[in-house]
Amino acid sequence: MDALAQLKELTAEIIDLRAAQGLLGWDLETYMPPEGAETRAHQRSTLAKLSHQMLTSETMGNLLKTLRKQKLDRIDQALVREVAKEYDRETKIPVKLVQEMTEVTAKAHPIWVSARKDNKFSNFAPVLEKIIDLNRQTTKVIGYQDSPYNALLDLYEPTLTVKQTDTLFSALKKDLVPLVKAIQESPKKPDAGFLRNKTYPEDKQWEFTITVLEAMGFDFARGRQDKAAHPFTMGMSSRDVRLTTRVFKTDIVSALFSSLHEGGHGLYEQGVDPALARTFLDGGVSLGIHESQSRLWENLVGRSKAFWTYFYPKLKKLFPKPLDGITMQQFYKAINTVEPSFIRVEADEVTYNLHIMLRYEIEKALIEGDLKVKDIPAVWNKNMKSYLGITPPSDTLGCLQDVHWSHGSFGYFPTYTLGNLHSVQFFNTAKKQVKSLEDQIAKGKLLPLKNWLNQEIHHHGHVELPDELSRRVTGEPLNSRYFVEYLWAKYGEIYGIK
Ligand code: ZN
């Protein structure tokens, strides 16, 4: 067997192990009885250990050495690139450092939970300092140019740098802060109370999420939807994609927008070329590009007038009493309410990215050594005031709200904003290339959009890097201008501002 065939065989088995690990994780969040937690942790860590051993084996090292010298076709070259990248990273980081990180973050999580509950940042600070120190050590062994934070960004968004992120984010901030201010000062305030203070039977809500997912073209023969406390999507392969959502009796928006969001992730996973199954090229290009797909369906489609032109009458039929007297126009404005708030996950599409920038700036300064952990709350509150005009009354509603740092994840947050920016740039391109796209959506026909995304983005799996994909599909690199233009057009009309 030649080196390429051997590499494919070995990596296929790694993917099998990871898929099994993913499925155990999905089960843990959906159906596992509570007493199963301890043995489940062992099962998952054994699978992780096995796949790590296979990835970092001498055989793998030798195969990569041979293949890096060979002339390969485009797809095989991408495959070797992806495997080599993971191999290099995992062989560079000493086992001791990995173990230390696992131990510290295992301890950090419950400390964060109680610090958040008690509003005591000082209780979380020592373990956070340790986590940052370990992250800084990791960046040193991985290696980087210019900023150590680049090594962390690259984990989630290949090739992205601090320099690019700073350029994108500073342009965006300059446009968003005045928009938020103008919206806040506008006397036109939509009434959104009815979304969350009436009773919307759960079974009917569930039924509606399925109707929408079917219209989007999510294939239930190759996937399913279940309930989870924190919605997520898990793709084992394009033939087995699990979505999750959560349903609240007095909230009509949570389940619906979770399903639209996760459905967007799910369509990506289902749309990958089956020829890439059981390879390192199966699945999405990066977290940012993956998030662009979920945001596109959640916001560009799910919060648009076109979508509700078709779906609002259906929604009203399911909930005649709570939606009695509410017009489509009122509903549309209510689901597009903009309101500066303390909690990122509850933020609207205008203010959301300012939450991200604030975290990005703090993370970057911590990793670069320009900010001390004890100073996080002060910087957080000062920037909240300057970006969103509000000051958190407590650290629980401020710098203690997100789980990411306790997990040791630094470099993850920016991908949320990249997803938002990419989503608009992709949607603009789709509007140019798909005949009367918005009219089709207004007739409930979502498949032309899904098919375009399949063909342009999903089918290609992980063959390209994020920037290559953006240039091929939209003709240019990521640009924040389209996102800002979209926001001004949409919210200018809703809030009567120019
Ligand atoms: Zn997402």
Side-chain angles (χ1 to χ4, degrees):
M1 208 178 354
D2 67 8
L4 186 62
Q6 277 186 58
L7 182 93
K8 285 182 179 172
E9 198 177 278
L10 199 53
T11 49
E13 288 176 356
I14 296 175
I15 297 294
D16 292 343
L17 289 171
R18 288 182 181 177
Q21 224 183 311
L23 188 59
L24 289 179
W26 168 83
D27 176 71
L28 178 135
E29 304 277 346
T30 50
Y31 295 106
M32 187 187 78
E35 291 286 310
E38 203 185 316
T39 44
R40 180 58 48 87
H42 290 301
Q43 293 152 359
R44 293 176 81 201
S45 103
T46 300
L47 288 176
K49 196 170 90 186
L50 288 174
S51 61
H52 173 82
Q53 281 168 357
M54 287 164 79
L55 180 66
T56 56
S57 65
E58 212 184 312
T59 317
M60 185 70 84
N62 291 333
L63 288 171
L64 287 170
K65 212 167 166 186
T66 310
L67 287 165
R68 284 195 228 227
K69 283 182 257 165
Q70 275 182 22
K71 207 170 153 39
L72 301 166
D73 72 21
R74 183 174 156 265
I75 307 268
D76 289 333
Q77 220 178 341
L79 176 70
V80 172
R81 177 197 74 211
E82 287 307 310
V83 179
K85 191 177 166 190
E86 288 200 35
Y87 172 86
D88 287 344
R89 190 188 303 139
E90 296 210 18
T91 48
K92 272 182 191 167
I93 306 175
V95 180
K96 203 177 146 273
L97 188 54
V98 177
Q99 278 170 346
E100 239 183 304
M101 189 63 122
T102 311
E103 279 164 30
V104 171
T105 50
K107 266 190 263 164
H109 187 74
I111 297 176
W112 166 74
V113 171
S114 67
R116 184 171 73 150
K117 191 172 125 280
D118 302 338
N119 185 32
K120 268 227 174 311
F121 181 76
S122 56
N123 289 354
F124 181 52
V127 75
L128 182 58
E129 262 165 33
K130 187 74 200 151
I131 288 173
I132 290 161
D133 178 51
L134 293 173
N135 263 294
R136 281 164 57 92
Q137 287 183 42
T138 307
T139 65
K140 268 193 204 115
V141 293
I142 297 178
Y144 58 83
Q145 276 183 341
D146 304 325
S147 165
Y149 194 71
N150 283 340
L152 301 176
L153 280 177
D154 189 65
L155 294 175
Y156 306 105
E157 202 64 19
T159 74
L160 182 73
T161 62
V162 162
K163 206 170 148 210
Q164 290 168 314
T165 313
D166 283 345
T167 309
L168 274 171
F169 282 15
S170 64
L172 188 59
K173 188 159 66 185
K174 205 171 89 244
D175 291 316
L176 282 183
V177 172
L179 175 60
V180 172
K181 202 161 173 273
I183 289 174
Q184 267 186 297
E185 284 164 2
S186 160
K188 278 179 135 185
K189 297 258 184 285
D191 173 16
F194 68 90
L195 296 175
R196 292 186 187 85
N197 65 10
K198 296 193 176 178
T199 303
Y200 299 95
E202 288 166 70
D203 54 337
K204 296 262 169 68
Q205 287 200 49
W206 183 264
E207 188 186 321
F208 191 68
T209 64
I210 301 291
T211 304
V212 170
L213 287 169
E214 281 173 347
M216 286 166 70
F218 183 78
D219 182 356
F220 281 93
R222 294 188 290 135
R224 49 181 294 132
Q225 178 178 257
D226 295 87
K227 289 179 191 168
H230 303 282
F232 65 96
T233 296
M234 184 68 74
M236 266 59 69
S237 77
S238 64
R239 288 160 205 264
D240 184 356
V241 178
R242 316 285 173 108
L243 312 178
T244 57
T245 193
R246 54 179 167 191
V247 189
F248 300 108
K249 202 166 63 193
T250 56
D251 180 340
I252 197 181
V253 278
S254 180
L256 171 63
F257 287 109
S258 290
S259 287
L260 275 159
H261 181 102
E262 301 307 330
H265 285 304
L267 287 183
Y268 197 168
E269 295 288 318
Q270 287 191 337
V272 177
D273 183 356
L276 300 175
R278 297 182 75 222
T279 76
F280 274 45
L281 301 176
D282 198 0
V285 166
S286 65
L287 286 190
I289 301 291
H290 228 304
E291 197 65 6
S292 77
Q293 300 305 291
S294 54
R295 292 296 190 174
L296 189 148
W297 287 99
E298 179 190 353
N299 291 334
L300 281 299
V301 177
R303 292 183 207 272
S304 72
K305 256 189 220 165
F307 179 84
W308 290 106
T309 302
Y310 179 80
F311 283 99
Y312 191 61
K314 295 198 171 313
L315 191 72
K316 237 178 140 159
K317 224 181 216 165
L318 283 174
F319 306 105
K321 243 175 93 187
L323 292 179
D324 185 35
I326 310 272
T327 65
M328 194 276 266
Q329 192 67 15
Q330 284 170 304
F331 183 80
Y332 167 74
K333 285 186 179 173
I335 58 169
N336 284 298
T337 304
V338 175
E339 180 95 72
S341 59
F342 300 118
I343 302 293
R344 173 185 62 86
V345 295
E346 291 162 9
D348 53 79
E349 54 175 342
V350 179
T351 58
Y352 189 89
N353 300 293
L354 292 165
H355 288 265
I356 295 301
M357 282 177 218
L358 179 143
R359 286 158 178 75
Y360 163 70
E361 287 158 3
I362 289 176
E363 282 196 356
K364 190 177 63 161
L366 288 168
I367 298 296
E368 290 181 347
D370 296 335
L371 177 67
K372 291 207 166 62
V373 166
K374 69 171 174 47
D375 296 326
I376 293 175
V379 175
W380 185 288
N381 294 350
K382 185 175 136 264
N383 289 353
M384 274 298 273
K385 179 78 188 157
S386 107
Y387 301 168
L388 291 166
I390 52 176
T391 308
S394 66
D395 291 335
T396 301
L397 291 172
C399 62
L400 281 170
Q401 64 182 272
D402 289 302
V403 71
H404 302 58
W405 293 343
S406 77
H407 284 163
S409 308
F410 281 75
Y412 191 115
F413 282 120
T415 67
Y416 291 122
T417 287
L418 296 182
N420 290 329
L421 302 183
H422 278 297
S423 73
V424 176
Q425 202 163 319
F426 288 141
F427 195 68
N428 281 359
T429 311
K431 280 197 282 193
K432 283 184 212 147
Q433 296 180 3
V434 180
K435 206 168 147 253
S436 24
L437 178 65
E438 280 168 313
D439 294 342
Q440 307 247 34
I441 294 174
K443 288 181 193 140
K445 291 184 177 146
L446 306 180
L447 294 183
L449 175 61
K450 180 244 178 198
N451 292 338
W452 182 86
L453 293 167
N454 277 161
Q455 181 193 317
E456 295 296 322
I457 299 170
H458 307 164
H459 182 81
H460 306 268
H462 197 162
V463 173
E464 293 160 298
L465 294 167
D467 187 54
E468 288 173 328
L469 175 85
S470 172
R471 285 172 196 264
R472 176 178 54 76
V473 176
T474 73
E476 59 177 310
L478 185 60
N479 185 337
S480 65
R481 182 164 69 94
Y482 303 108
F483 181 73
V484 172
E485 284 170 0
Y486 154 75
L487 291 184
W488 271 103
K490 179 174 176 179
Y491 292 94
E493 191 210 322
I494 294 175
Y495 283 91
I497 49 174
K498 282 213 176 75

